[in-house]
Each structure stands twice: as C-alpha cells, then as structure tokens.
Amino acid sequence: MVFAYPFRVFFLSAAMLAALVVPAWLALLLHDAHAPLAFAPLHWHQHEMLFGFLHAAIAGFLLTAVCAWTGTERLHGAPLAALWLVWLAGRVLMAVGAGAPAWLVHAVDLAFLPLVMLDAGRRIWQARQHRQLIVLAVLGALWAMELGFHLDPAGPHARGALLAAMLLMLVIGGRITPAFSGNWLRLRGTDPGRVEVKPWLERLTLGAVAAVVVTQVAAVPAGVSAVAAVLAAAASLMRLVLWRGWLVRAEPLLWILHLALAWIPLALLLLAAAELGYVPASAWVHAAGAGAMGSLTLGVMARVALGHTGRPLTLPAGMTAAFVLMLAAGVARVLTTLQALPWRAGLVAAAVLWTAALLIFLVRYVPVLTRPRVDGTPG
C-alpha cells in the first residue's frame, strides 16, 4: 500500500529520516561520537536535511501534485519502489559510506532528484503545462547546489541550496496557501477575495529571492547581498500580509502554512544582518531550515495525506500540538544561535521539540499512509 502513491512512501520516509538525523547529529556533536559517515559530521547533517529529508518531501508532494495538475496516471508499484530505493541507497551511503568509493557515493546520491524531475517533467511536457516549468527550474538549481556540495562540502553550496529551497517554498506556498485559504473562507460564507494575490508581486518576490541565491553563490560585496536580502524580505512579507492569514486562524491546516512562510522574510532579514556582521550567519540558516522548511513540510504532509486518502480535512488529534512544537523548535534553534539561550540547553531543546513534532506526525499518520483510501478508490 505504501507504493500505491508517491506521497505515501516519501512522506513516511521524510518524517522518519528527519526524526533520526537531528538526534543523531546532536549525539555526534555533544559526545564527540564517531560514525562511518561519507562526509564530516557537520556536512553530513547539512546534506541529509537539505538533500535527504527535503528531497523526500519534494518527491512526495510533486509526484502526487503533478498527477492532479496534468490528469495523468500516478507513479506507483514497482517503478515507485525503484525510485524510493534510489533515495534509500543514497541515505545508506551517506550514513555508512566512509570506506566506499567517492564516485559511487556521488553517483547514487545525485541520481535521485533528476529521476524525480524526469517523471514530473515528462507529464508536464505532455500536458503542455508550461506554467509548471518554474518548479523544474528551481529543482534544477537545487540539484546544481547538491552537485557543488558533493564537490566542495565546505563551499557556498549549502547556503545556495537552502535559498533555492526557500525559493521552491515560495513557489509552492504561493500556489497552495492563498488557494486553500480562499476556499476555506468561501465554504464559510466569507468573501475569498479578501485573500489577495498580485501577479506582479509574485514575480517580484521570486525574482528577488533568486537574486539572493546568486549573491550567496557568487563573490559579491556583502552590502550588495544585504540589500538584495532586505528587498526579498520586504516582497515576501508583503505578499504574505495580502493573504491575510489571520482570517484562517481557526484552521490549523491553514495557519501552519502562513506561519511557516512567515519564517522566510525573517530568515532573509537575518541573512542581511549576517552579511553586515550583526548576527552569526547560522541564524538565517536555522530560521530557513528548522523554521520555514520544517514547519511548511509538516503542514503540507499533514494536509496532502488526508486529502489524497479520501479523508476529511480534519486534523488528527495531537497534530495541532505537533505544529506548535515544530514552530517552537525553530524559535529555540534561532535563539540559541543568537545566544539568547544557553548553547547546550538550546540545542537539546530544539532537537527535542523537532523530534517530538515528527514522532506525533508518525504516530497519527502511519495508519493514514499505510491503509487504503477510505473511499475505496485506487491510490
């Protein structure tokens, strides 16, 4: 059943990996433990969060959504299992590949995202839905950052990948968040037009964040990068305000999306401050990673799993607490970086909050993701 639809196996895998990697990284950091990792511990942690956890979440969402966008048959069965095994092989080699040939580690790990793009791309091309090509373009940039990371883990590619991930979150979030919010308001007799989407602002936001990606990968003056980050933050915050997230505050499946995306302008402002030397560079990294990426991924997985298994969009018991815990994990991690919390206690608190949120998700959603649709239809 887990190979009946991409979201099933990849959402389970993303949550399990994220719930394991953070405690494992903390053990390596605090206890100076040793493991046969393919990269140094810090680079392994960065890689698995950016290219292990995130790639699984992307595959689960994109390969599910693209079927709805294009009206094509879902990827399932043996082909889906084979794709998942490629992802899994990458995780195994990252964890125990210290003695493996470097070319093998690189080749296996780098194979996954292009395969996802190939499956999604052929559907988009056949359906002539050129509007969706921006998603593939951002994924291409993300893969380029992953390639650069493999060649030089200490280089700027982790930062570039995180910014590319933010760009992808803005693209996907810009489609689903106002649409879902407007539909929710309509069903309750409220004017959905109060959720405003300005095409010019969408283009400005995405273009501004793309410019920030370039400034972080290329050698540009810190002041230029800071200005670009401030402009991108202002644009992303403006679009979020126009969506009026406070109107959907009664629905956790919606407010989590708005709050997750609110981390992005904060991360961009912290990036600008870091470029000017006011805060550590890791502050924006954790606002974007533990904050935006963690919260948005959890919120999207929770909603998609319900909708695509034929269940009502009613959040299972305990999941509101999981959303709060995930948001709190981001806050704790950023405050620790800013030295507002003691280093060791802050790290432990953030890791416990993060892991608890994902464990709640797994407890509540393993039955959802491993059982047939409640309406009896395939998938």
mmCIF file of all heavy atoms in Angstrom, residues 271-314:
data_model
loop_
_atom_site.group_PDB
_atom_site.id
_atom_site.type_symbol
_atom_site.label_atom_id
_atom_site.label_comp_id
_atom_site.label_asym_id
_atom_site.label_seq_id
_atom_site.Cartn_x
_atom_site.Cartn_y
_atom_site.Cartn_z
ATOM 1 N N LEU A 271 19.669 37.091 7.244
ATOM 2 C CA LEU A 271 20.756 36.969 6.275
ATOM 3 C C LEU A 271 21.392 38.329 6.014
ATOM 4 O O LEU A 271 22.630 38.462 5.976
ATOM 5 C CB LEU A 271 20.216 36.373 4.975
ATOM 6 C CG LEU A 271 21.165 36.378 3.757
ATOM 7 C CD1 LEU A 271 22.455 35.639 4.072
ATOM 8 C CD2 LEU A 271 20.475 35.754 2.547
ATOM 9 N N ALA A 272 20.561 39.343 5.845
ATOM 10 C CA ALA A 272 21.094 40.692 5.631
ATOM 11 C C ALA A 272 21.917 41.146 6.835
ATOM 12 O O ALA A 272 23.008 41.707 6.683
ATOM 13 C CB ALA A 272 19.951 41.669 5.377
ATOM 14 N N ALA A 273 21.404 40.869 8.028
ATOM 15 C CA ALA A 273 22.125 41.255 9.245
ATOM 16 C C ALA A 273 23.445 40.498 9.359
ATOM 17 O O ALA A 273 24.458 41.063 9.794
ATOM 18 C CB ALA A 273 21.247 40.986 10.471
ATOM 19 N N ALA A 274 23.436 39.228 8.954
ATOM 20 C CA ALA A 274 24.669 38.439 8.999
ATOM 21 C C ALA A 274 25.693 38.970 8.003
ATOM 22 O O ALA A 274 26.902 39.017 8.295
ATOM 23 C CB ALA A 274 24.350 36.976 8.703
ATOM 24 N N GLU A 275 25.241 39.382 6.821
ATOM 25 C CA GLU A 275 26.160 39.924 5.818
ATOM 26 C C GLU A 275 26.848 41.193 6.325
ATOM 27 O O GLU A 275 27.995 41.468 5.969
ATOM 28 C CB GLU A 275 25.398 40.233 4.534
ATOM 29 C CG GLU A 275 24.957 39.004 3.754
ATOM 30 C CD GLU A 275 26.126 38.236 3.177
ATOM 31 O OE1 GLU A 275 26.761 38.738 2.254
ATOM 32 O OE2 GLU A 275 26.415 37.129 3.688
ATOM 33 N N LEU A 276 26.149 41.931 7.170
ATOM 34 C CA LEU A 276 26.708 43.170 7.707
ATOM 35 C C LEU A 276 27.424 42.955 9.037
ATOM 36 O O LEU A 276 27.894 43.921 9.657
ATOM 37 C CB LEU A 276 25.594 44.208 7.873
ATOM 38 C CG LEU A 276 24.885 44.612 6.566
ATOM 39 C CD1 LEU A 276 23.735 45.559 6.846
ATOM 40 C CD2 LEU A 276 25.869 45.231 5.576
ATOM 41 N N GLY A 277 27.474 41.708 9.491
ATOM 42 C CA GLY A 277 28.236 41.378 10.690
ATOM 43 C C GLY A 277 27.510 41.555 12.003
ATOM 44 O O GLY A 277 28.141 41.529 13.062
ATOM 45 N N TYR A 278 26.189 41.704 11.970
ATOM 46 C CA TYR A 278 25.445 41.943 13.210
ATOM 47 C C TYR A 278 25.044 40.660 13.934
ATOM 48 O O TYR A 278 24.871 40.671 15.157
ATOM 49 C CB TYR A 278 24.193 42.778 12.918
ATOM 50 C CG TYR A 278 24.488 44.175 12.448
ATOM 51 C CD1 TYR A 278 24.048 44.618 11.211
ATOM 52 C CD2 TYR A 278 25.226 45.053 13.242
ATOM 53 C CE1 TYR A 278 24.326 45.897 10.766
ATOM 54 C CE2 TYR A 278 25.504 46.343 12.809
ATOM 55 C CZ TYR A 278 25.044 46.756 11.569
ATOM 56 O OH TYR A 278 25.328 48.027 11.133
ATOM 57 N N VAL A 279 24.844 39.583 13.210
ATOM 58 C CA VAL A 279 24.436 38.310 13.816
ATOM 59 C C VAL A 279 25.234 37.192 13.157
ATOM 60 O O VAL A 279 25.758 37.353 12.046
ATOM 61 C CB VAL A 279 22.923 38.035 13.644
ATOM 62 C CG1 VAL A 279 22.081 39.127 14.310
ATOM 63 C CG2 VAL A 279 22.554 37.891 12.168
ATOM 64 N N PRO A 280 25.329 36.022 13.802
ATOM 65 C CA PRO A 280 26.006 34.886 13.163
ATOM 66 C C PRO A 280 25.269 34.443 11.902
ATOM 67 O O PRO A 280 24.039 34.527 11.819
ATOM 68 C CB PRO A 280 25.958 33.799 14.242
ATOM 69 C CG PRO A 280 25.715 34.515 15.525
ATOM 70 C CD PRO A 280 24.895 35.711 15.178
ATOM 71 N N ALA A 281 26.012 33.959 10.934
ATOM 72 C CA ALA A 281 25.410 33.519 9.675
ATOM 73 C C ALA A 281 24.454 32.356 9.884
ATOM 74 O O ALA A 281 23.494 32.190 9.130
ATOM 75 C CB ALA A 281 26.506 33.133 8.685
ATOM 76 N N SER A 282 24.706 31.545 10.909
ATOM 77 C CA SER A 282 23.844 30.384 11.135
ATOM 78 C C SER A 282 22.444 30.775 11.592
ATOM 79 O O SER A 282 21.545 29.935 11.593
ATOM 80 C CB SER A 282 24.477 29.442 12.156
ATOM 81 O OG SER A 282 24.778 30.134 13.350
ATOM 82 N N ALA A 283 22.222 32.030 11.977
ATOM 83 C CA ALA A 283 20.886 32.443 12.420
ATOM 84 C C ALA A 283 19.878 32.328 11.284
ATOM 85 O O ALA A 283 18.788 31.768 11.443
ATOM 86 C CB ALA A 283 20.927 33.871 12.966
ATOM 87 N N TRP A 284 20.236 32.871 10.117
ATOM 88 C CA TRP A 284 19.286 32.792 9.000
ATOM 89 C C TRP A 284 19.151 31.359 8.495
ATOM 90 O O TRP A 284 18.069 30.948 8.053
ATOM 91 C CB TRP A 284 19.689 33.727 7.862
ATOM 92 C CG TRP A 284 20.768 33.237 6.941
ATOM 93 C CD1 TRP A 284 22.088 33.509 7.018
ATOM 94 C CD2 TRP A 284 20.606 32.396 5.788
ATOM 95 N NE1 TRP A 284 22.774 32.899 5.988
ATOM 96 C CE2 TRP A 284 21.892 32.210 5.219
ATOM 97 C CE3 TRP A 284 19.515 31.783 5.179
ATOM 98 C CZ2 TRP A 284 22.099 31.436 4.078
ATOM 99 C CZ3 TRP A 284 19.717 31.016 4.047
ATOM 100 C CH2 TRP A 284 21.000 30.842 3.503
ATOM 101 N N VAL A 285 20.237 30.591 8.588
ATOM 102 C CA VAL A 285 20.201 29.202 8.138
ATOM 103 C C VAL A 285 19.166 28.412 8.923
ATOM 104 O O VAL A 285 18.358 27.657 8.351
ATOM 105 C CB VAL A 285 21.593 28.562 8.279
ATOM 106 C CG1 VAL A 285 21.525 27.053 8.094
ATOM 107 C CG2 VAL A 285 22.563 29.191 7.276
ATOM 108 N N HIS A 286 19.144 28.597 10.236
ATOM 109 C CA HIS A 286 18.207 27.839 11.055
ATOM 110 C C HIS A 286 16.786 28.409 10.986
ATOM 111 O O HIS A 286 15.808 27.669 11.148
ATOM 112 C CB HIS A 286 18.707 27.766 12.489
ATOM 113 C CG HIS A 286 19.955 26.947 12.622
ATOM 114 N ND1 HIS A 286 20.017 25.628 12.251
ATOM 115 C CD2 HIS A 286 21.203 27.271 13.053
ATOM 116 C CE1 HIS A 286 21.235 25.164 12.458
ATOM 117 N NE2 HIS A 286 21.975 26.142 12.936
ATOM 118 N N ALA A 287 16.657 29.705 10.738
ATOM 119 C CA ALA A 287 15.315 30.257 10.519
ATOM 120 C C ALA A 287 14.701 29.669 9.253
ATOM 121 O O ALA A 287 13.510 29.338 9.207
ATOM 122 C CB ALA A 287 15.385 31.779 10.423
ATOM 123 N N ALA A 288 15.540 29.529 8.219
ATOM 124 C CA ALA A 288 15.052 28.951 6.963
ATOM 125 C C ALA A 288 14.861 27.447 7.065
ATOM 126 O O ALA A 288 13.900 26.896 6.505
ATOM 127 C CB ALA A 288 16.031 29.270 5.840
ATOM 128 N N GLY A 289 15.769 26.757 7.775
ATOM 129 C CA GLY A 289 15.729 25.297 7.844
ATOM 130 C C GLY A 289 14.779 24.778 8.898
ATOM 131 O O GLY A 289 13.710 24.238 8.597
ATOM 132 N N ALA A 290 15.157 24.956 10.168
ATOM 133 C CA ALA A 290 14.309 24.475 11.262
ATOM 134 C C ALA A 290 12.974 25.197 11.277
ATOM 135 O O ALA A 290 11.944 24.616 11.628
ATOM 136 C CB ALA A 290 15.034 24.676 12.598
ATOM 137 N N GLY A 291 12.970 26.483 10.883
ATOM 138 C CA GLY A 291 11.728 27.251 10.891
ATOM 139 C C GLY A 291 10.855 27.010 9.679
ATOM 140 O O GLY A 291 9.850 26.302 9.746
ATOM 141 N N ALA A 292 11.244 27.580 8.552
ATOM 142 C CA ALA A 292 10.395 27.520 7.357
ATOM 143 C C ALA A 292 10.275 26.109 6.799
ATOM 144 O O ALA A 292 9.167 25.603 6.574
ATOM 145 C CB ALA A 292 10.948 28.457 6.286
ATOM 146 N N MET A 293 11.407 25.457 6.559
ATOM 147 C CA MET A 293 11.377 24.152 5.914
ATOM 148 C C MET A 293 10.680 23.105 6.785
ATOM 149 O O MET A 293 9.845 22.331 6.309
ATOM 150 C CB MET A 293 12.798 23.697 5.576
ATOM 151 C CG MET A 293 12.882 22.470 4.690
ATOM 152 S SD MET A 293 14.576 22.201 4.081
ATOM 153 C CE MET A 293 15.354 21.568 5.569
ATOM 154 N N GLY A 294 11.011 23.089 8.081
ATOM 155 C CA GLY A 294 10.387 22.121 8.966
ATOM 156 C C GLY A 294 8.892 22.324 9.081
ATOM 157 O O GLY A 294 8.102 21.371 8.972
ATOM 158 N N SER A 295 8.462 23.564 9.288
ATOM 159 C CA SER A 295 7.042 23.843 9.504
ATOM 160 C C SER A 295 6.222 23.649 8.239
ATOM 161 O O SER A 295 5.124 23.074 8.276
ATOM 162 C CB SER A 295 6.864 25.275 10.024
ATOM 163 O OG SER A 295 7.559 25.466 11.227
ATOM 164 N N LEU A 296 6.726 24.137 7.099
ATOM 165 C CA LEU A 296 5.960 24.008 5.862
ATOM 166 C C LEU A 296 5.864 22.555 5.434
ATOM 167 O O LEU A 296 4.794 22.096 4.991
ATOM 168 C CB LEU A 296 6.591 24.849 4.757
ATOM 169 C CG LEU A 296 5.766 24.954 3.470
ATOM 170 C CD1 LEU A 296 4.437 25.648 3.734
ATOM 171 C CD2 LEU A 296 6.537 25.706 2.384
ATOM 172 N N THR A 297 6.943 21.822 5.565
ATOM 173 C CA THR A 297 6.918 20.412 5.196
ATOM 174 C C THR A 297 5.906 19.653 6.045
ATOM 175 O O THR A 297 5.111 18.862 5.524
ATOM 176 C CB THR A 297 8.320 19.798 5.359
ATOM 177 O OG1 THR A 297 9.222 20.472 4.490
ATOM 178 C CG2 THR A 297 8.308 18.319 5.010
ATOM 179 N N LEU A 298 5.931 19.886 7.342
ATOM 180 C CA LEU A 298 4.985 19.190 8.228
ATOM 181 C C LEU A 298 3.547 19.558 7.881
ATOM 182 O O LEU A 298 2.666 18.688 7.828
ATOM 183 C CB LEU A 298 5.297 19.542 9.681
ATOM 184 C CG LEU A 298 4.531 18.756 10.744
ATOM 185 C CD1 LEU A 298 4.848 17.271 10.669
ATOM 186 C CD2 LEU A 298 4.845 19.293 12.142
ATOM 187 N N GLY A 299 3.295 20.839 7.645
ATOM 188 C CA GLY A 299 1.940 21.267 7.314
ATOM 189 C C GLY A 299 1.442 20.695 6.000
ATOM 190 O O GLY A 299 0.289 20.255 5.896
ATOM 191 N N VAL A 300 2.295 20.692 4.985
ATOM 192 C CA VAL A 300 1.897 20.165 3.682
ATOM 193 C C VAL A 300 1.677 18.661 3.756
ATOM 194 O O VAL A 300 0.683 18.131 3.211
ATOM 195 C CB VAL A 300 2.951 20.513 2.613
ATOM 196 C CG1 VAL A 300 2.686 19.753 1.321
ATOM 197 C CG2 VAL A 300 2.957 22.014 2.348
ATOM 198 N N MET A 301 2.559 17.937 4.420
ATOM 199 C CA MET A 301 2.392 16.485 4.531
ATOM 200 C C MET A 301 1.093 16.150 5.254
ATOM 201 O O MET A 301 0.377 15.217 4.862
ATOM 202 C CB MET A 301 3.587 15.867 5.260
ATOM 203 C CG MET A 301 4.884 15.920 4.494
ATOM 204 S SD MET A 301 6.207 14.836 5.145
ATOM 205 C CE MET A 301 6.331 15.398 6.842
ATOM 206 N N ALA A 302 0.785 16.899 6.311
ATOM 207 C CA ALA A 302 -0.435 16.626 7.073
ATOM 208 C C ALA A 302 -1.679 16.810 6.219
ATOM 209 O O ALA A 302 -2.625 16.005 6.300
ATOM 210 C CB ALA A 302 -0.489 17.541 8.296
ATOM 211 N N ARG A 303 -1.699 17.836 5.381
ATOM 212 C CA ARG A 303 -2.880 18.109 4.565
ATOM 213 C C ARG A 303 -2.985 17.164 3.368
ATOM 214 O O ARG A 303 -4.048 16.598 3.098
ATOM 215 C CB ARG A 303 -2.863 19.556 4.081
ATOM 216 C CG ARG A 303 -4.122 19.921 3.301
ATOM 217 C CD ARG A 303 -4.074 21.311 2.740
ATOM 218 N NE ARG A 303 -5.297 21.610 2.020
ATOM 219 C CZ ARG A 303 -6.343 22.256 2.525
ATOM 220 N NH1 ARG A 303 -6.316 22.668 3.775
ATOM 221 N NH2 ARG A 303 -7.416 22.495 1.786
ATOM 222 N N VAL A 304 -1.882 17.002 2.647
ATOM 223 C CA VAL A 304 -1.901 16.167 1.442
ATOM 224 C C VAL A 304 -2.279 14.728 1.787
ATOM 225 O O VAL A 304 -3.045 14.085 1.065
ATOM 226 C CB VAL A 304 -0.539 16.221 0.730
ATOM 227 C CG1 VAL A 304 -0.457 15.167 -0.373
ATOM 228 C CG2 VAL A 304 -0.311 17.607 0.140
ATOM 229 N N ALA A 305 -1.754 14.211 2.892
ATOM 230 C CA ALA A 305 -2.047 12.829 3.271
ATOM 231 C C ALA A 305 -3.527 12.623 3.540
ATOM 232 O O ALA A 305 -4.088 11.573 3.194
ATOM 233 C CB ALA A 305 -1.235 12.445 4.502
ATOM 234 N N LEU A 306 -4.174 13.613 4.128
ATOM 235 C CA LEU A 306 -5.617 13.492 4.374
ATOM 236 C C LEU A 306 -6.397 13.560 3.062
ATOM 237 O O LEU A 306 -7.243 12.712 2.775
ATOM 238 C CB LEU A 306 -6.085 14.599 5.315
ATOM 239 C CG LEU A 306 -5.566 14.566 6.754
ATOM 240 C CD1 LEU A 306 -6.038 15.804 7.510
ATOM 241 C CD2 LEU A 306 -6.030 13.302 7.463
ATOM 242 N N GLY A 307 -6.112 14.588 2.269
ATOM 243 C CA GLY A 307 -6.876 14.788 1.044
ATOM 244 C C GLY A 307 -6.725 13.664 0.047
ATOM 245 O O GLY A 307 -7.704 13.248 -0.588
ATOM 246 N N HIS A 308 -5.526 13.113 -0.089
ATOM 247 C CA HIS A 308 -5.292 12.083 -1.104
ATOM 248 C C HIS A 308 -5.559 10.672 -0.619
ATOM 249 O O HIS A 308 -5.342 9.715 -1.370
ATOM 250 C CB HIS A 308 -3.862 12.203 -1.639
ATOM 251 C CG HIS A 308 -3.710 13.322 -2.628
ATOM 252 N ND1 HIS A 308 -3.971 13.175 -3.978
ATOM 253 C CD2 HIS A 308 -3.362 14.620 -2.454
ATOM 254 C CE1 HIS A 308 -3.769 14.318 -4.589
ATOM 255 N NE2 HIS A 308 -3.396 15.216 -3.695
ATOM 256 N N THR A 309 -6.043 10.535 0.611
ATOM 257 C CA THR A 309 -6.540 9.225 1.058
ATOM 258 C C THR A 309 -8.050 9.268 1.249
ATOM 259 O O THR A 309 -8.630 8.351 1.834
ATOM 260 C CB THR A 309 -5.866 8.784 2.373
ATOM 261 O OG1 THR A 309 -6.051 9.790 3.379
ATOM 262 C CG2 THR A 309 -4.377 8.545 2.162
ATOM 263 N N GLY A 310 -8.694 10.323 0.739
ATOM 264 C CA GLY A 310 -10.145 10.416 0.774
ATOM 265 C C GLY A 310 -10.723 10.777 2.122
ATOM 266 O O GLY A 310 -11.927 10.636 2.343
ATOM 267 N N ARG A 311 -9.886 11.277 3.021
ATOM 268 C CA ARG A 311 -10.360 11.621 4.353
ATOM 269 C C ARG A 311 -10.770 13.085 4.433
ATOM 270 O O ARG A 311 -10.263 13.914 3.674
ATOM 271 C CB ARG A 311 -9.263 11.333 5.391
ATOM 272 C CG ARG A 311 -9.021 9.849 5.607
ATOM 273 C CD ARG A 311 -7.784 9.602 6.468
ATOM 274 N NE ARG A 311 -7.681 8.198 6.877
ATOM 275 C CZ ARG A 311 -7.214 7.221 6.111
ATOM 276 N NH1 ARG A 311 -6.805 7.502 4.873
ATOM 277 N NH2 ARG A 311 -7.171 5.988 6.550
ATOM 278 N N PRO A 312 -11.648 13.419 5.362
ATOM 279 C CA PRO A 312 -11.992 14.834 5.568
ATOM 280 C C PRO A 312 -10.751 15.609 6.006
ATOM 281 O O PRO A 312 -9.848 15.057 6.637
ATOM 282 C CB PRO A 312 -13.033 14.793 6.698
ATOM 283 C CG PRO A 312 -13.525 13.385 6.741
ATOM 284 C CD PRO A 312 -12.397 12.525 6.269
ATOM 285 N N LEU A 313 -10.728 16.876 5.677
ATOM 286 C CA LEU A 313 -9.590 17.722 6.061
ATOM 287 C C LEU A 313 -9.745 18.163 7.509
ATOM 288 O O LEU A 313 -9.866 19.356 7.831
ATOM 289 C CB LEU A 313 -9.488 18.918 5.125
ATOM 290 C CG LEU A 313 -9.140 18.587 3.673
ATOM 291 C CD1 LEU A 313 -9.128 19.846 2.815
ATOM 292 C CD2 LEU A 313 -7.811 17.853 3.585
ATOM 293 N N THR A 314 -9.749 17.163 8.371
ATOM 294 C CA THR A 314 -9.844 17.385 9.815
ATOM 295 C C THR A 314 -8.574 16.858 10.454
ATOM 296 O O THR A 314 -8.264 15.671 10.353
ATOM 297 C CB THR A 314 -11.063 16.654 10.403
ATOM 298 O OG1 THR A 314 -12.251 17.107 9.741
ATOM 299 C CG2 THR A 314 -11.178 16.920 11.902
#
